[in-house]
Amino acid sequence: MSKNRMFQTLWLLLLSVVCVLMFYYRRESTKSPQERFSEDTVVAAAVEQRTPVPLPTETPTPVPTPRPTVYEITEVFIPLYQTPIPVPATLPPNVTPAPTPIPETPAPTAAPKSVEPFSLIWFSDTQYYAYKKPEIFVSMAEWAVRIREKNNALAVVCTGDIVDNRNYTRHWTNAESAITRIRDAMPFYCVAGNHDVGADSVDYTMYRQYDFCTAPETMEFNGDGHCWVLPLPEQKLLLCGVGWQNDTAYADWLIDRINAYSQYPAVLLIHSFLYDDGSLSTNGKRVEKAIFEKAPSLRLVLCGHNDGSARWSKTYGDGHTVNAMMYNFQDDKKYGLGYARILMFNPETRNIAVTTYSPYLDDYNYYRDAEKDTFTLYNAW
């Protein structure tokens, strides 16, 4: 083959390659995007099939640990506060443990516990209930019996005017019906008021016909029942009573009996001692002057007669203090019905906590100012 012939052949081949490339280029440029995407997908799929790539291992999502409940926490931590049981040391073979030495003198007996707190339930001027509303008197009596155990109540005490008119048997019968309910469960101690014996005549004849006025037999009486004392050795307390009268002839006897039990703080029940403003009544002045300085173990006075609520306190030359309390809501025929007081005596602190409540009205505190009805007397007995 000649050289010219060979160059022509190569030129034709080169021209053919250029023509083919140009034809291919023009064909690609005229394809729609969907056709190109379809072909690319097929090629990519072919590549995927030819050279499969292993999928990455999925890491599981961690599951949060549930928080224990309060009960579970308690159960977990209780053992941490328990004292472990000590393990006894191992003894060498053939060794007998030494006996526990016996003390030469026995341990002293523990001192007996002091007296537990106790209470007195206090009624004042029940005359209206004995006269017209015996159901109120009964509600007070039944309430006193119900709370006896809870409050460790020793007795119900009444500071006079049990009835409205001493000459009417019906009044006494109504009072007796309520008081009998009390006496079936605990003692009832009272003193005479002016309505019980007469303001001027001071006649104890009718009063003494009812044994709840002169019981129990352990009371020490003066004469016709004007005065009495009742020692309570278990509670280390002396109860005293002074009935209504217009003289102080009883004073010498009462001073003698209080001083005979001077180891016991004395609580005096008397009908008239304070006015509603806290000042001493006429009878209160006589009693205070005749008795208080001469009977240093007298610490507390309970009284009624006048309307309202009041307190009084005085410290004497030898350092002893006498507190007095008065309450009487009988004139309030709508909101003052059935109120009684609980006096809680604390032998440890020597305080007296006072609460006022009406079981008939189911209401605490007659006054809006609760401090008049609920309070504490400190170091008061």
Side-chain angles (χ1 to χ4, degrees):
M1 182 181 293
S2 65
K3 289 183 179 180
N4 290 333
R5 184 75 174 169
M6 184 177 62
F7 282 121
Q8 289 176 356
T9 302
L10 291 174
W11 173 252
L12 289 172
L13 289 172
L14 179 61
L15 184 61
S16 298
V17 171
V18 171
C19 290
V20 169
L21 291 173
M22 291 178 63
F23 177 78
Y24 180 77
Y25 176 75
R26 291 184 61 192
R27 185 171 178 273
E28 284 294 315
S29 62
T30 59
K31 287 183 180 179
S32 66
Q34 290 80 4
E35 292 175 314
R36 289 200 299 271
F37 177 77
S38 177
E39 289 182 359
D40 291 343
T41 304
V42 172
V43 173
V47 172
E48 289 282 343
Q49 292 174 358
R50 288 195 303 270
T51 57
V53 179
L55 295 173
T57 304
E58 292 186 0
T59 303
T61 304
V63 179
T65 305
R67 295 181 63 184
T69 62
V70 174
Y71 175 79
E72 290 169 337
I73 292 174
T74 303
E75 290 295 326
V76 169
F77 282 96
I78 279 177
L80 300 180
Y81 292 98
Q82 293 177 347
T83 304
I85 300 173
V87 179
T90 305
L91 296 174
N94 303 323
V95 175
T96 303
T100 303
I102 301 174
E104 296 181 0
T105 56
T109 303
K113 292 183 179 180
S114 59
V115 178
E116 294 183 357
F118 59 89
S119 70
L120 293 174
I121 300 172
W122 172 22
F123 292 177
S124 178
D125 294 82
T126 56
Q127 63 210 64
Y128 177 66
Y129 316 140
Y131 173 30
K132 284 189 175 180
K133 294 284 185 179
E135 66 273 16
I136 298 178
F137 212 152
V138 169
S139 73
M140 296 171 69
E142 292 179 342
W143 164 78
V145 172
R146 285 198 306 272
I147 69 167
R148 176 197 178 191
E149 184 174 352
K150 178 182 177 182
N151 293 274
N152 193 21
L154 301 183
V156 174
V157 298
C158 181
T159 48
D161 279 358
I162 301 168
V163 299
D164 189 62
N165 190 320
R166 67 188 177 97
N167 295 312
Y168 291 149
T169 303
R170 178 174 56 86
H171 295 195
W172 289 103
T173 302
N174 288 340
E176 185 177 37
S177 176
I179 295 170
T180 298
R181 299 167 193 257
I182 296 171
R183 296 184 66 201
D184 287 342
M186 61 179 145
F188 176 86
Y189 307 132
C190 62
V191 295
N194 54 299
H195 284 260
D196 302 321
V197 295
D200 299 322
S201 60
V202 193
D203 182 1
Y204 276 73
T205 303
M206 182 69 77
Y207 179 85
R208 291 183 61 84
Q209 288 183 9
Y210 294 88
D211 62 352
F212 60 78
C213 297
T214 58
E217 295 178 356
T218 50
M219 280 182 174
E220 298 180 28
F221 279 97
N222 175 34
D224 58 2
H226 284 191
C227 302
W228 54 264
V229 297
L230 175 66
L232 301 172
E234 187 175 346
Q235 287 74 33
K236 299 179 173 57
L237 192 70
L238 179 69
L239 285 182
C240 310
V242 175
W244 177 266
Q245 52 219 344
N246 295 319
D247 57 64
T248 54
Y250 55 83
D252 291 341
W253 182 88
L254 187 59
I255 293 168
D256 176 73
R257 301 321 296 148
I258 291 176
N259 290 335
Y261 297 99
S262 60
Q263 71 273 31
Y264 301 150
V267 176
L268 176 64
L269 312 181
I270 189 170
H271 186 56
S272 173
F273 186 79
L274 293 178
Y275 289 125
D276 60 355
D277 62 357
S279 62
L280 295 177
S281 66
T282 302
N283 189 64
K285 291 177 181 178
R286 288 197 294 260
V287 171
E288 190 268 339
K289 182 179 179 181
I291 298 174
F292 285 20
E293 286 200 51
K294 301 175 183 178
S297 59
L298 179 61
R299 300 297 308 278
L300 180 66
V301 180
L302 307 180
C303 65
H305 186 59
N306 292 301
D307 295 330
S309 178
R311 281 185 275 168
W312 174 90
S313 179
K314 182 175 179 179
T315 300
Y316 293 87
D318 62 356
H320 83 281
T321 299
V322 178
N323 285 282
M325 292 186 284
M326 181 271 288
Y327 89 97
N328 174 13
F329 308 136
Q330 64 167 313
D331 278 355
D332 187 341
K333 301 300 189 293
K334 184 175 181 180
Y335 299 110
L337 301 175
Y339 282 94
R341 282 187 170 174
I342 306 171
L343 312 182
M344 181 63 71
F345 293 73
N346 188 326
E348 297 293 334
T349 62
R350 316 306 293 182
N351 297 341
I352 303 173
V354 180
T355 303
T356 305
Y357 175 69
S358 167
Y360 181 74
L361 300 176
D362 187 20
D363 179 62
Y364 286 93
N365 301 328
Y366 172 76
Y367 291 99
R368 290 185 178 180
D369 179 3
E371 291 185 0
K372 279 193 168 187
D373 291 314
T374 302
F375 51 89
T376 299
L377 300 178
Y378 296 95
N379 191 28
W381 65 291

